[in-house]
mmCIF file of all heavy atoms in Angstrom:
data_model
loop_
_atom_site.group_PDB
_atom_site.id
_atom_site.type_symbol
_atom_site.label_atom_id
_atom_site.label_comp_id
_atom_site.label_asym_id
_atom_site.label_seq_id
_atom_site.Cartn_x
_atom_site.Cartn_y
_atom_site.Cartn_z
ATOM 1 N N SER A 123 3.771 35.825 25.733
ATOM 2 C CA SER A 123 3.717 34.621 26.580
ATOM 3 C C SER A 123 2.384 33.910 26.408
ATOM 4 O O SER A 123 2.325 32.685 26.310
ATOM 5 C CB SER A 123 3.892 35.002 28.059
ATOM 6 O OG SER A 123 5.023 35.787 28.222
ATOM 7 N N GLY A 124 1.325 34.714 26.374
ATOM 8 C CA GLY A 124 -0.014 34.133 26.206
ATOM 9 C C GLY A 124 -0.119 33.344 24.916
ATOM 10 O O GLY A 124 -0.638 32.225 24.886
ATOM 11 N N LEU A 125 0.419 33.916 23.843
ATOM 12 C CA LEU A 125 0.347 33.227 22.541
ATOM 13 C C LEU A 125 1.159 31.932 22.549
ATOM 14 O O LEU A 125 0.722 30.907 22.025
ATOM 15 C CB LEU A 125 0.864 34.152 21.430
ATOM 16 C CG LEU A 125 -0.108 35.245 20.971
ATOM 17 C CD1 LEU A 125 0.560 36.171 19.975
ATOM 18 C CD2 LEU A 125 -1.352 34.627 20.350
ATOM 19 N N VAL A 126 2.347 32.000 23.172
ATOM 20 C CA VAL A 126 3.200 30.796 23.230
ATOM 21 C C VAL A 126 2.492 29.702 24.027
ATOM 22 O O VAL A 126 2.431 28.537 23.606
ATOM 23 C CB VAL A 126 4.581 31.129 23.843
ATOM 24 C CG1 VAL A 126 5.346 29.861 24.185
ATOM 25 C CG2 VAL A 126 5.398 31.978 22.882
ATOM 26 N N VAL A 127 1.909 30.074 25.173
ATOM 27 C CA VAL A 127 1.212 29.083 26.008
ATOM 28 C C VAL A 127 0.020 28.506 25.242
ATOM 29 O O VAL A 127 -0.209 27.294 25.218
ATOM 30 C CB VAL A 127 0.750 29.722 27.347
ATOM 31 C CG1 VAL A 127 -0.208 28.806 28.091
ATOM 32 C CG2 VAL A 127 1.958 30.057 28.210
ATOM 33 N N TYR A 128 -0.716 29.386 24.556
ATOM 34 C CA TYR A 128 -1.889 28.935 23.796
ATOM 35 C C TYR A 128 -1.475 27.921 22.730
ATOM 36 O O TYR A 128 -2.066 26.858 22.591
ATOM 37 C CB TYR A 128 -2.574 30.131 23.141
ATOM 38 C CG TYR A 128 -3.840 29.762 22.402
ATOM 39 C CD1 TYR A 128 -5.059 29.716 23.058
ATOM 40 C CD2 TYR A 128 -3.803 29.424 21.052
ATOM 41 C CE1 TYR A 128 -6.213 29.353 22.389
ATOM 42 C CE2 TYR A 128 -4.947 29.054 20.376
ATOM 43 C CZ TYR A 128 -6.158 29.033 21.045
ATOM 44 O OH TYR A 128 -7.289 28.652 20.389
ATOM 45 N N MET A 129 -0.404 28.258 22.004
ATOM 46 C CA MET A 129 0.038 27.360 20.931
ATOM 47 C C MET A 129 0.562 26.040 21.498
ATOM 48 O O MET A 129 0.312 24.978 20.930
ATOM 49 C CB MET A 129 1.115 28.042 20.088
ATOM 50 C CG MET A 129 0.515 29.094 19.161
ATOM 51 S SD MET A 129 1.642 29.655 17.888
ATOM 52 C CE MET A 129 2.941 30.375 18.795
ATOM 53 N N ALA A 130 1.264 26.131 22.647
ATOM 54 C CA ALA A 130 1.797 24.900 23.254
ATOM 55 C C ALA A 130 0.649 23.978 23.678
ATOM 56 O O ALA A 130 0.675 22.768 23.416
ATOM 57 C CB ALA A 130 2.667 25.258 24.456
ATOM 58 N N ILE A 131 -0.369 24.564 24.309
ATOM 59 C CA ILE A 131 -1.514 23.743 24.747
ATOM 60 C C ILE A 131 -2.231 23.177 23.520
ATOM 61 O O ILE A 131 -2.630 22.017 23.493
ATOM 62 C CB ILE A 131 -2.488 24.569 25.615
ATOM 63 C CG1 ILE A 131 -1.802 24.999 26.917
ATOM 64 C CG2 ILE A 131 -3.746 23.764 25.937
ATOM 65 C CD1 ILE A 131 -2.612 25.956 27.766
ATOM 66 N N PHE A 132 -2.359 24.002 22.499
ATOM 67 C CA PHE A 132 -3.046 23.562 21.278
ATOM 68 C C PHE A 132 -2.328 22.358 20.653
ATOM 69 O O PHE A 132 -2.947 21.347 20.329
ATOM 70 C CB PHE A 132 -3.096 24.717 20.283
ATOM 71 C CG PHE A 132 -3.638 24.337 18.937
ATOM 72 C CD1 PHE A 132 -4.998 24.145 18.754
ATOM 73 C CD2 PHE A 132 -2.797 24.138 17.855
ATOM 74 C CE1 PHE A 132 -5.504 23.776 17.527
ATOM 75 C CE2 PHE A 132 -3.299 23.769 16.626
ATOM 76 C CZ PHE A 132 -4.656 23.597 16.458
ATOM 77 N N VAL A 133 -1.019 22.457 20.526
ATOM 78 C CA VAL A 133 -0.246 21.361 19.913
ATOM 79 C C VAL A 133 -0.302 20.124 20.804
ATOM 80 O O VAL A 133 -0.495 18.999 20.326
ATOM 81 C CB VAL A 133 1.222 21.797 19.651
ATOM 82 C CG1 VAL A 133 2.081 20.603 19.253
ATOM 83 C CG2 VAL A 133 1.269 22.860 18.567
ATOM 84 N N ALA A 134 -0.189 20.322 22.120
ATOM 85 C CA ALA A 134 -0.226 19.173 23.033
ATOM 86 C C ALA A 134 -1.583 18.473 22.985
ATOM 87 O O ALA A 134 -1.672 17.247 23.000
ATOM 88 C CB ALA A 134 0.070 19.639 24.460
ATOM 89 N N ALA A 135 -2.636 19.262 22.880
ATOM 90 C CA ALA A 135 -3.987 18.673 22.899
ATOM 91 C C ALA A 135 -4.366 18.043 21.565
ATOM 92 O O ALA A 135 -5.255 17.209 21.494
ATOM 93 C CB ALA A 135 -5.010 19.744 23.278
ATOM 94 N N HIS A 136 -3.716 18.459 20.496
ATOM 95 C CA HIS A 136 -4.107 17.962 19.176
ATOM 96 C C HIS A 136 -2.966 17.276 18.446
ATOM 97 O O HIS A 136 -3.024 17.142 17.224
ATOM 98 C CB HIS A 136 -4.640 19.118 18.320
ATOM 99 C CG HIS A 136 -5.885 19.734 18.853
ATOM 100 N ND1 HIS A 136 -5.870 20.715 19.798
ATOM 101 C CD2 HIS A 136 -7.192 19.480 18.594
ATOM 102 C CE1 HIS A 136 -7.110 21.058 20.098
ATOM 103 N NE2 HIS A 136 -7.932 20.318 19.393
#
Side-chain angles (χ1 to χ4, degrees):
Chain A
S123 308
L125 283 175
V126 168
V127 168
Y128 183 87
M129 285 194 298
I131 295 173
F132 173 76
V133 170
H136 296 85

